[in-house]
Amino acid sequence: MRGRREALATIALLAAGACLTPLRVQAAGALPSWNDGPARNAIVAFVERVTKMASLDFVPPPGRIATFDNDGTLWAEQPMYFQLAFALDRVKALAPQHPEWKGKEPFASLLKGDVKGALAGGEHAMLEIVMATHAGMTTEEFERIVNDWIATAKHPTTGRLYTEMVYQPMLELLTYLRANGFKTYIVSGGGIEFMRPWAERVYGVPPEQVVGSSIRTKFELRDGQPVLVRLPEVDFVDDQAGKPVGIQMHIGRRPIAAFGNSDGDLQMLQWVAAGKGQRFCLYVHHDDAVREWAYDRDSHIGRLDQGLDEAAARGWTVVSMKDDWKRVFPFETK
Amino acid sequence: MRGRREALATIALLAAGACLTPLRVQAAGALPSWNDGPARNAIVAFVERVTKMASLDFVPPPGRIATFDNDGTLWAEQPMYFQLAFALDRVKALAPQHPEWKGKEPFASLLKGDVKGALAGGEHAMLEIVMATHAGMTTEEFERIVNDWIATAKHPTTGRLYTEMVYQPMLELLTYLRANGFKTYIVSGGGIEFMRPWAERVYGVPPEQVVGSSIRTKFELRDGQPVLVRLPEVDFVDDQAGKPVGIQMHIGRRPIAAFGNSDGDLQMLQWVAAGKGQRFCLYVHHDDAVREWAYDRDSHIGRLDQGLDEAAARGWTVVSMKDDWKRVFPFETK
């Protein structure tokens, strides 16, 4: 009887433990695309410190908030931000309904295939393109447009779907953190409603855990049916000093870990690092020209300059894509 | 051996089931402060429809989003919104640092105890009071101020802490929904950072599930330390047509159930009702002058006029506090 009772008790305990105790999952096997080096070790050491019940640095699960930048941190951002490729494709698709665009910049240049010329108009040109392609429809219509595009559009140099251009080691990291009781958030300069339609499928991040830039929306009754209409007006820019603001607005508590790749993420990392207790800040450094792209201090996309200095000064983890990652994209054969 | 194996299997299954199967909890005993009547029955019938795996109306847990108004729905709102009481107390506390207030409305009237006179200045006066008391400090300082106030301030007629002035049947409803796999959100016209400090303790709703009105914040480095400073500028008003906007911004998907008590919640209920599949909309009707307050169509606080008509026309559930609730406040002796 004793043996049986003990067996029953053990099974019940183990099974209950799987959902009731503060989550803690071993890294062994959880990060297969990471080389056994300082970056991987720093991640694992941090996670073990905050999840071991006996640790002085133990953080109960509700406080285990981790925020991830998207462009250049979870998926690639070269040769142009993928959302910009979306906007350009939308300009082409909408051109027949806008004959006036042929004589109007930045649309005229874009329609002639001259992206550089179109973007020469700077921020104003960019805003014109965004509003022409992201506003004027309901939230549900926009979701459908994004879903249709993301299902078919191909990256200009690899020919892959954009959702294949995600970093395998970061997918594993998201899963590893969640298995250890973390709530994983995206905090991106990209459009919140551009990411939500596919972030759950691709990253396992549900819509309510996506923070991003936004345009204003307006509630209306159309023939008695309520809709939210997207207005051509910037509401919030979730970049640089906007990131801690977006985090406070959406999450309302300070994350204990943050992951980025550019100076646009610096304030988020500063905000996280300044919290009490154990904190973890990581920069992905794009130094792999063979498997991905190599760029940092002088790039106009994803510039990492001040952040690189601050990471060195403060001991933040800097991931070398070249040295720390066995595999960059899921589609690579090893 | 067979008996033992079966016992082991049963225990493992039960224990695993507790966290792995789509959650579904029987209402029996879960809503003890609700009388057995149409409101309680409608709630239970809805929850059973969307949580029974075999049901045509089954909704997987990620889609089980329920949104609750706060003032008048989860806690009382008479004789004035509790956040207004907070603001008035803050004016008194801050007065020594603002000698100029003695000659300046609305502060002069307030400091003489003439609330009505102060509020006679309408929206502008209100805004002056809010900004003088809610802006100019960091987010962490404001959190401390709210925590200090909510721990000690007493309701003017009952003498109870404001956090005791919550509706016992609604607390049970929140718990019942969560036990059935729902994610419960607050979507309130009140200040998001006024509710977050105590919403988890009082309602079981974590900061990231609180949606509310907000003022702008700004990221700053003060002596190298990052802070978020609260600016005297309205950012978002989460009331009426703002509620569906706030829901989309924070949650990014349409709730399947919504709970309110006033015309300020009407657009939220309309937005929820217009979704595909089973939806549940409920109004709390303040008709109990003995245990709480009785007010609806003519009240300037929590007016319920158009909403009452629309609820009747569309078959939404209307809770009579008088008839449907055995107990209103947790402190009542039965």
Side-chain angles (χ1 to χ4, degrees), chain A residues 89-163:
Chain A
D89 283 353
R90 290 303 298 161
V91 168
K92 282 178 220 153
L94 292 167
Q97 299 161 46
H98 293 275
E100 77 280 9
W101 283 356
K102 278 186 190 137
K104 193 184 167 196
E105 289 298 347
F107 306 102
S109 293
L110 269 188
L111 293 172
K112 279 181 275 179
D114 178 11
V115 176
K116 214 168 177 181
L119 299 183
E123 205 171 307
H124 179 74
M126 196 64 211
L127 211 61
E128 288 258 337
I129 295 167
V130 168
M131 292 313 174
T133 54
H134 287 64
M137 70 292 281
T138 68
T139 48
E140 295 196 326
E141 285 161 355
F142 186 70
E143 186 181 348
R144 214 172 307 130
I145 291 167
V146 172
N147 272 327
D148 289 348
W149 182 82
I150 205 94
T152 54
K154 299 283 169 61
H155 188 274
T157 66
T158 66
R160 297 279 173 173
L161 290 175
Y162 286 102
T163 49

Side-chain angles (χ1 to χ4, degrees), chain A residues 4 7-8 11-12 15-16 19 139-140 183 185 192-193 196 200 206-209 214 216-217 219 221 225-228 235 241 244-245 248-254 267 270-271 274, chain B residues 4 7-8 11-12 15-16 19 139-140 183 185 192-193 196 200 206-209 214 216-217 219 221 225-228 235 241 244-245 248-254 267 270-271 274:
Chain A
R4 182 169 152 197
L8 289 173
I11 289 185
C19 60
T139 48
E140 295 196 326
K183 219 166 174 174
Y185 282 81
I192 188 168
E193 302 298 4
R196 278 172 162 166
E200 188 153 29
E208 62 268 29
Q209 285 161 228
S214 56
R216 280 196 191 285
T217 63
F219 178 85
L221 289 178
Q225 282 302 303
V227 292
L228 287 171
D235 180 45
V245 172
Q248 180 61 29
M249 174 56 64
H250 285 259
I251 309 177
R253 51 181 149 200
R254 207 189 291 235
Q267 288 83 352
Q270 289 172 333
W271 178 242
Chain B
R4 182 168 156 199
L8 290 172
I11 287 183
C19 61
T139 48
E140 294 194 328
K183 219 165 173 173
Y185 282 81
I192 187 167
E193 302 297 5
R196 279 171 162 165
E200 189 154 27
E208 62 267 30
Q209 286 162 226
S214 56
R216 281 196 191 283
T217 64
F219 178 85
L221 289 178
Q225 281 302 305
V227 293
L228 287 171
D235 180 44
V245 171
Q248 180 61 28
M249 175 55 66
H250 285 257
I251 311 178
R253 51 182 149 200
R254 204 188 293 234
Q267 287 86 350
Q270 289 172 333
W271 177 242

Side-chain angles (χ1 to χ4, degrees), chain B residues 82-104:
Chain B
F82 297 174
Q83 191 173 358
L84 178 57
F86 164 77
L88 302 188
D89 283 353
R90 289 303 298 160
V91 167
K92 280 177 222 153
L94 292 167
Q97 298 160 47
H98 293 274
E100 77 280 9
W101 282 357
K102 277 186 194 140
K104 195 184 164 196

